Amino acid sequence: MRYAIVIERAGNNFSGYVPDLPGCVATGATVEETETELLSAIQFHLEGLREDGVAAPAAESIVEYVFVPAQPCAPGDAPQAARP
């Protein structure tokens, strides 16, 4: 099963969470360490759910990046083409 994760800078370290598993969080000194800690947290979380007889929640979150133009547009305005 694949779950989306979110990792954010948190001062001098990083913090991560799993949107589809409320309460499933981890921290680390680097992004890589935080990913590793999140994987362990996810496994621990799912193990606890199994022990409680609860099915693992479906992975429903969608993660995507969006392009934001350098010059903001008013709501409803289309971005203008670059001028030479």
Side-chain angles (χ1 to χ4, degrees), residues 9-59:
R9 181 172 290 281
N12 294 330
N13 66 346
F14 294 87
S15 175
Y17 65 96
V18 185
D20 292 316
L21 300 174
C24 189
V25 299
T27 62
T30 65
V31 170
E32 294 79 13
E33 182 180 344
T34 306
E35 287 177 354
T36 300
E37 293 298 324
L38 271 175
L39 177 57
S40 294
I42 291 167
Q43 292 169 330
F44 183 74
H45 192 94
L46 295 176
E47 188 177 295
L49 291 175
R50 275 191 298 274
E51 288 176 2
D52 291 342
V54 177

Side-chain angles (χ1 to χ4, degrees), residues 1-5 18-21 39 42 46 56-63:
M1 185 171 299
R2 288 175 47 144
Y3 285 103
I5 63 171
V18 185
D20 292 316
L21 300 174
L39 177 57
I42 291 167
L46 295 176
E60 296 178 344
S61 292
I62 299 169
V63 179

